[in-house]
Amino acid sequence: MNKIKLRISSLLTLFLVFSNLMYGQGAIPFTITNSSTFNDNELYVAIVGIDYTTGNHVWVNAKTSQVLPMSPSYNTVTGPTIGGNTGPGQNSKYAACFTKLSEIPNKTFTLPLIAGCRVFIAKGQQLYFYFFGANGAPSGYTSPNPLNVTDPNQGILYEIIELTNNQYGFFGNPSRVDSYKYPMGLELFGANGYQKKVGELKKHADIVAAFKANVPSEFQGCVNDATGEITAPSKTPAFADGTGGTSVGPQANYLKSYIDAIWNKYKNEDLIFYAGDAGVFKGRVIGEQLEMVGQSGGFVGRTGRVQNRPTTQEALEGKGVLDRRLVDGDLDLVIQAQLTAAINRHVVNTTTPNPGQQNWYDASKFYQVNPTNHYSKFWHLPGISIDNLAYGFAYDDVADQSPSLHTPQPTKVIAVFGGYAGTVPSVPATTDVITVYKDCNYAGFSGGLTIGDYNLARLNTLGILNDDISSLKVAKGFQAILYQDDNFTGTSTVINADNTCLNTTWNDKVTSIRILANGVTTLGNQTFYLQNRNSNLNMDVWNASTANAANVAQGTPNSANNQKFTFTHLGDGLYKIIANHSGQSLDVNNFNKDNGANVEQYPYNATPNQQFVLVATGDGFYKIVARHSGKLIEVAGASTTNGANVQQWQDNGQTCAQWKLVAATSSQTSVLIQAEDYSAMNGIQVEATTDTGGGSNVGYTETGDWLAYNSINFPTTGSYLIEYRVASGVTGGKLSSDLNGGTIVLGNVDIPNTGGWQNWQTVSQTVNVNAGTYNFGIYIQNTGMNINWIKITKVGAGLAAKTLSTETIEEAPDTALNVYPSPAENTLYFTTSVSSENASIVDAQSGNTVSKQKVSNNSVDVSQLKKGIYLIVLEKDGQRTVKRFIKK
């Protein structure tokens, strides 16, 4: 037997980290229904947990709903003695805490405020728990241990519901973390019409047969043919590792080769992964400890750790080094939960050199490569559980794969012993950017689809059957490719508008579908003002804020950068839209699909709520369609007021959701290019950046690597300042820039050693370019740099009209000398020795000389300058060198 151990899931860990107090609530009714082949008087119920107010171990008498302390005085039931095991009391006495289901009034008891609670339902007889006590040491109770051959619970069929009911609401789920013994279901009801159910859809015998048919030989030993029980691999002899008195099994090191590959690879390369709401993390194995630093989200700058490489057992169970608070306890647990899930699902990349940012939340990639947890994979197969949701291992709630139910204001709970076999799952009709219907005229069951590929298995999980689609609704900016065979084969057709009834060729003939964006594709690498048709005001990041989640509104047109947005084409008319002043993306708050969801700015993470389809109205305006919702970006309430909010809303023909894209040319002087948005490249890798604004940078550059950016517009002939946001841990880096594949060479730029690969500075050059649209390229002349962004700025006309010593000032593009940092705050340094030379500082916009001084210690003082772009002019022995810099 085991003394019970309560584990906080990753869902609850994040909840405790991020949540604010929401609602207070109390006890609720908990009903147990029986859809099994057994009678109610054959089922025994016990409820154990921790009193939420006192922290004491308690049990609930299911017959009276009385909450009682877990006292040894209840150990009065005589249990079996197997192999001489007489239990913790040495007298084979166990707790009298079970009640027959038939004796529970209305099969319902009152669930109190309780933490770490388990509802046990056993068939044929009670389970044998031993109560140690309500508090102190030892306290709690023993639970069944399938690896102990002398455990008194051997051979007893039972199931559990795990739950917590506290001031934040109800959290609960059926679990397959330890084992499966019989189908279970759970349904939760709450305020405002909340209702959701989870659980198995097949009969017991069918589940056992399906498991045997779907798992490889290593996992066949999880099935006990005598009892019909399917035990998690971590609880079976084949995977035992010799701890806890077990014998080492043949699969004790099943995951070892994969875990070793992870640890060995990321000692020398950066591990970067996306972890949903927790953000993006980047780090390495240092010694034997994995250290991950938050790059975006709620843990920016904080470090979470895994103390050393886990064993197979630790990974399968999420225990040991994967359940251990170290320095930053909350974040340690988050990182450990993410890694546990990634190992079980085999999604940590161990084959691609420097793979860059990995998406550990892409469920289509789960369980595709061995070694993987085939036990957990089985519970997520189509048709086994509602919505393919199951708790197959301790942290299966990572990426929302678990059957966890939560509502802050619960009203009742129904557990179903026997599950939902033979019933139609209550999958609600859904809508999305494209909605398919069983019948013509948008009738019958509907399934909502967003951008992506849907083979038959994926359609089935949404309740969409083979050859069963008759009509479609298609949001503006999207299209569906229908296929008559599975996996996108056979005859196909494109649907890009509502279709009330498919023709005889396609009605009830669809087996797989691809959903794509369908927008204007010619707007990439351009910067615009977005002028609202209804108000004539411009989209505006309010108060020019650079903060994450700063609000977007409409404002009186001006030439400020917070009203300028650069479009990057992602394919099929889909764009990311970046605010020029902050480098952050337009973003629909919190992935919300509802009407009225707020539009804000946020560091770009390539999520669907940060991507937009541009649809032309045909008369010079565009609709901006949010990819994740299919809804339009509009001015709230069709307001014409300065400061009115920008939000998303369904398309009803409103003019306040139509925008003129006014090219920011002579009045708009800059275009910001994110380095990772290349049109083509050679030898480049992408990684998360810690620079201001977050997102990604390109790195791992080597001599001869290059990047190309198509369709960069230089609106007028003249001088342009090109700034490169760079970081380097070495000396000697050099890049060159060019136009149209090297036919126009713009010159070289030396990259200083900035003190680290995420210590960012801006270096620059000034070039003369004839008006036109070009493909802009960067060539790595000498290795040693990361690049976050490139900014191209038209130099003001005032400079061209001014002279210094009767000569026009131009930057010398090919000199080995450069200046840093840029932006500079107090002191500007030179990359080569220029001490004792005379320096003049010129305002780049007006051409006026604002300072003259001698260079001292290879630097000049710029602390008294106002913010802006300047030229520094060095004169010695009749020779003049000119460089540009930014004063912040």
Side-chain angles (χ1 to χ4, degrees):
M1 303 181 73
N2 285 343
K3 188 176 176 184
I4 191 67
K5 174 186 177 184
L6 299 175
R7 188 197 318 278
I8 298 178
S9 73
S10 64
L11 174 70
L12 189 53
T13 298
L14 288 173
F15 175 80
L16 293 175
V17 171
F18 289 123
S19 68
N20 293 315
L21 184 62
M22 293 182 289
Y23 300 99
Q25 63 94 40
I28 54 174
F30 191 111
T31 300
I32 300 174
T33 63
N34 179 13
S35 66
S36 74
T37 59
F38 310 119
N39 296 322
D40 289 352
N41 62 6
E42 296 179 273
L43 301 181
Y44 291 74
V45 178
I47 306 102
V48 292
I50 299 173
D51 185 288
Y52 192 74
T53 58
T54 66
N56 290 338
H57 293 274
V58 296
W59 68 283
V60 180
N61 186 323
K63 191 172 183 178
T64 65
S65 295
Q66 187 177 6
V67 180
L68 301 165
M70 203 172 280
S71 168
S73 64
Y74 293 108
N75 297 323
T76 60
V77 176
T78 301
T81 300
I82 302 175
N85 181 3
T86 58
Q90 304 298 308
N91 58 3
S92 295
K93 295 293 186 181
Y94 299 95
C97 59
F98 279 81
T99 303
K100 289 183 178 181
L101 181 60
S102 58
E103 296 177 355
I104 301 174
N106 300 314
K107 302 181 188 179
T108 301
F109 63 89
T110 300
L111 181 71
L113 290 177
I114 191 168
C117 178
R118 288 187 172 188
V119 177
F120 287 84
I121 307 172
K123 183 261 177 184
Q125 63 185 92
Q126 77 162 69
L127 291 166
Y128 297 105
F129 298 163
Y130 184 88
F131 285 173
F132 289 99
N135 52 49
S139 61
Y141 66 102
T142 59
S143 63
N145 180 2
L147 292 181
N148 181 359
V149 296
T150 68
D151 189 286
N153 298 292
Q154 292 292 330
I156 303 176
L157 185 152
Y158 70 93
E159 276 298 346
I160 62 173
I161 298 294
E162 301 175 322
L163 64 92
T164 287
N165 185 42
N166 61 22
Q167 79 267 37
Y168 301 110
F170 178 93
F171 302 81
N173 57 268
S175 176
R176 301 294 164 227
V177 170
D178 292 328
S179 67
Y180 159 86
K181 296 181 177 66
Y182 209 73
M184 284 294 295
L186 186 67
E187 188 168 14
L188 176 62
F189 298 80
N192 302 313
Y194 176 89
Q195 179 182 2
K196 185 175 181 180
K197 64 171 63 173
V198 293
E200 279 92 23
L201 293 168
K202 291 182 178 293
K203 295 179 180 178
H204 174 63
D206 294 335
I207 286 178
V208 175
F211 185 88
K212 290 181 176 180
N214 280 280
V215 303
S217 58
E218 295 93 332
F219 290 78
Q220 290 291 332
C222 293
V223 180
N224 184 325
D225 289 321
T227 65
E229 178 181 1
I230 305 174
T231 304
S234 62
K235 304 293 186 183
T236 60
F239 288 83
D241 62 359
T243 60
T246 61
S247 299
V248 176
Q251 305 304 328
N253 293 314
Y254 175 74
L255 293 171
K256 184 177 187 301
S257 63
Y258 183 45
I259 295 168
D260 286 347
I262 295 170
W263 245 249
N264 295 337
K265 178 180 180 66
Y266 293 107
K267 283 185 176 180
N268 303 305
E269 300 176 18
D270 288 333
L271 174 61
I272 309 166
F273 65 84
Y274 169 69
D277 290 342
V280 174
F281 295 91
K282 174 182 177 180
R284 291 195 178 196
V285 175
I286 302 173
E288 272 295 288
Q289 181 167 276
L290 175 66
E291 299 184 6
M292 302 300 301
V293 180
Q295 309 295 303
S296 65
F299 296 100
V300 172
R302 292 168 58 181
T303 301
R305 298 164 177 84
V306 179
Q307 195 165 19
N308 51 262
R309 70 183 73 194
T311 66
T312 291
Q313 278 280 328
E314 288 175 323
L316 289 172
E317 286 204 44
K319 68 178 182 181
V321 298
L322 295 174
D323 185 29
R324 183 173 296 168
R325 291 178 179 270
L326 298 170
V327 180
D328 188 337
D330 289 336
L331 182 53
D332 293 336
L333 295 181
V334 170
I335 295 299
Q336 291 159 20
Q338 301 294 322
L339 184 64
T340 299
I343 292 173
N344 278 274
R345 297 164 178 167
H346 200 116
V347 293
V348 185
N349 189 322
T350 59
T351 58
T352 305
N354 297 303
Q357 183 171 311
Q358 304 172 38
N359 184 358
W360 289 0
Y361 276 51
D362 183 354
S364 69
K365 302 297 191 298
F366 294 173
Y367 309 111
Q368 299 302 302
V369 181
N370 285 322
T372 194
N373 186 341
H374 286 275
Y375 171 86
S376 179
K377 176 182 180 179
F378 170 76
W379 297 111
H380 296 284
L381 293 178
I384 303 299
S385 306
I386 291 176
D387 295 334
N388 303 335
L389 299 177
Y391 244 125
F393 59 90
Y395 293 121
D396 213 1
D397 50 354
V398 169
D400 298 323
Q401 297 299 295
S402 76
S404 300
L405 298 180
H406 167 64
T407 181
Q409 294 179 291
T411 56
K412 67 177 178 179
V413 185
I414 301 175
V416 183
F417 188 84
Y420 301 111
T423 64
V424 177
S426 58
V427 181
T430 59
T431 61
D432 215 305
V433 299
I434 290 182
T435 308
V436 298
Y437 296 85
K438 176 181 174 65
D439 302 318
C440 290
N441 299 311
Y442 317 123
F445 182 89
S446 65
L449 312 177
T450 187
I451 289 177
D453 292 347
Y454 297 81
N455 62 10
L456 182 58
R458 188 177 181 190
L459 290 174
N460 287 168
T461 66
L462 300 172
I464 303 168
L465 304 181
N466 188 28
D467 296 339
D468 206 35
I469 296 173
S470 296
S471 56
L472 300 87
K473 285 189 175 181
V474 180
K476 290 288 179 62
F478 299 89
Q479 60 183 332
I481 306 176
L482 310 182
Y483 297 85
Q484 290 194 356
D485 297 324
D486 198 10
N487 296 314
F488 323 108
T489 59
T491 305
S492 64
T493 188
V494 177
I495 306 294
N496 52 27
D498 291 353
N499 191 307
T500 58
C501 196
L502 296 172
N503 59 32
T504 54
T505 303
W506 285 97
N507 190 23
D508 293 338
K509 299 290 178 63
V510 179
T511 302
S512 55
I513 304 175
R514 280 196 164 118
I515 308 299
L516 305 170
N518 183 31
V520 177
T521 62
T522 58
L523 304 172
N525 295 318
Q526 298 181 61
T527 301
F528 301 99
Y529 298 103
L530 305 181
Q531 186 179 68
N532 190 264
R533 183 172 199 155
N534 181 64
S535 66
N536 292 319
L537 301 182
N538 286 353
M539 191 178 294
D540 182 302
V541 179
W542 206 243
N543 292 326
S545 173
T546 58
N548 291 359
N551 194 50
V552 175
Q554 68 177 2
T556 302
N558 59 48
S559 60
N561 283 331
N562 61 310
Q563 289 191 1
K564 301 169 188 174
F565 297 89
T566 298
F567 284 51
T568 300
H569 188 220
L570 305 174
D572 300 320
L574 188 69
Y575 295 84
K576 75 172 181 179
I577 304 175
I578 301 297
N580 274 28
H581 76 295
S582 65
Q584 295 193 23
S585 172
L586 285 188
D587 176 293
V588 179
N589 174 261
N590 200 30
F591 304 90
N592 197 328
K593 293 187 176 184
D594 294 339
N595 284 341
N598 195 48
V599 175
E600 59 192 21
Q601 71 173 9
Y602 203 81
Y604 184 71
N605 287 310
T607 50
N609 63 319
Q610 296 181 330
Q611 298 174 352
F612 303 88
V613 185
L614 270 290
V615 178
T617 63
D619 58 357
F621 288 84
Y622 294 85
K623 297 180 180 182
I624 303 174
V625 187
R627 168 184 170 171
H628 75 296
S629 66
K631 294 183 175 177
L632 307 185
I633 304 306
E634 65 153 28
V635 176
S639 174
T640 58
T641 303
N642 186 47
N645 200 47
V646 172
Q647 62 182 18
Q648 73 173 8
W649 201 270
Q650 67 192 49
D651 187 353
N652 55 30
Q654 66 269 44
T655 58
C656 63
Q658 297 178 22
W659 304 85
K660 179 181 287 186
L661 275 55
V662 180
T665 54
S666 57
S667 61
Q668 191 280 332
T669 59
S670 297
V671 60
L672 182 69
I673 304 169
Q674 296 296 331
E676 69 273 15
D677 291 339
Y678 46 75
S679 305
M681 64 83 181
N682 178 68
I684 298 298
Q685 296 185 44
V686 177
E687 63 181 0
T689 183
T690 62
D691 197 10
T692 302
S696 301
N697 64 261
V698 301
Y700 303 99
T701 56
E702 296 180 356
T703 301
D705 292 347
W706 54 266
L707 304 112
Y709 304 88
N710 292 346
S711 303
I712 304 301
N713 183 44
F714 292 79
T716 60
T717 298
S719 295
Y720 287 84
L721 174 69
I722 305 179
E723 300 165 78
Y724 306 87
R725 187 67 168 170
V726 296
S728 176
V730 298
T731 301
K734 183 189 292 286
L735 62 79
S736 63
S737 58
D738 58 69
L739 303 177
N740 291 350
T743 59
I744 303 173
V745 177
L746 300 178
N748 298 329
V749 178
D750 290 300
I751 306 302
N753 184 337
T754 65
W757 297 105
Q758 289 294 324
N759 290 342
W760 294 94
Q761 294 182 8
T762 304
V763 297
S764 63
Q765 64 179 149
T766 299
V767 299
N768 287 314
V769 178
N770 292 327
T773 299
Y774 301 88
N775 294 336
F776 174 76
I778 294 176
Y779 184 83
I780 308 302
Q781 297 281 359
N782 195 40
T783 188
M785 69 203 71
N786 290 348
I787 308 173
N788 188 13
W789 48 254
I790 307 101
K791 187 176 183 181
I792 302 173
T793 303
K794 181 69 175 72
V795 175
L799 178 60
K802 294 286 183 177
T803 62
L804 183 65
S805 300
T806 71
E807 297 180 26
T808 300
I809 299 172
E810 294 292 347
E811 181 177 11
D814 296 317
T815 180
L817 179 142
N818 220 317
V819 295
Y820 70 97
S822 180
E825 185 169 7
N826 296 310
T827 306
L828 187 70
Y829 297 92
F830 300 90
T831 57
T832 58
S833 177
V834 292
S835 294
S836 301
E837 295 184 22
N838 296 315
S840 298
I841 299 177
V842 179
D843 187 318
Q845 297 299 313
S846 67
N848 294 324
T849 300
V850 295
S851 173
K852 288 186 177 183
Q853 55 185 288
K854 276 193 176 293
V855 178
S856 176
N857 296 321
N858 216 44
S859 65
V860 294
D861 180 14
V862 296
S863 60
Q864 301 303 312
L865 300 180
K866 297 179 180 179
K867 293 180 180 179
I869 301 173
Y870 294 88
L871 303 174
I872 184 162
V873 184
L874 302 174
E875 295 186 8
K876 186 176 182 181
D877 300 329
Q879 297 294 318
R880 176 179 296 149
T881 301
V882 181
K883 286 294 174 183
R884 294 186 183 272
F885 69 95
I886 299 173
K887 172 63 170 65
K888 69 177 180 179

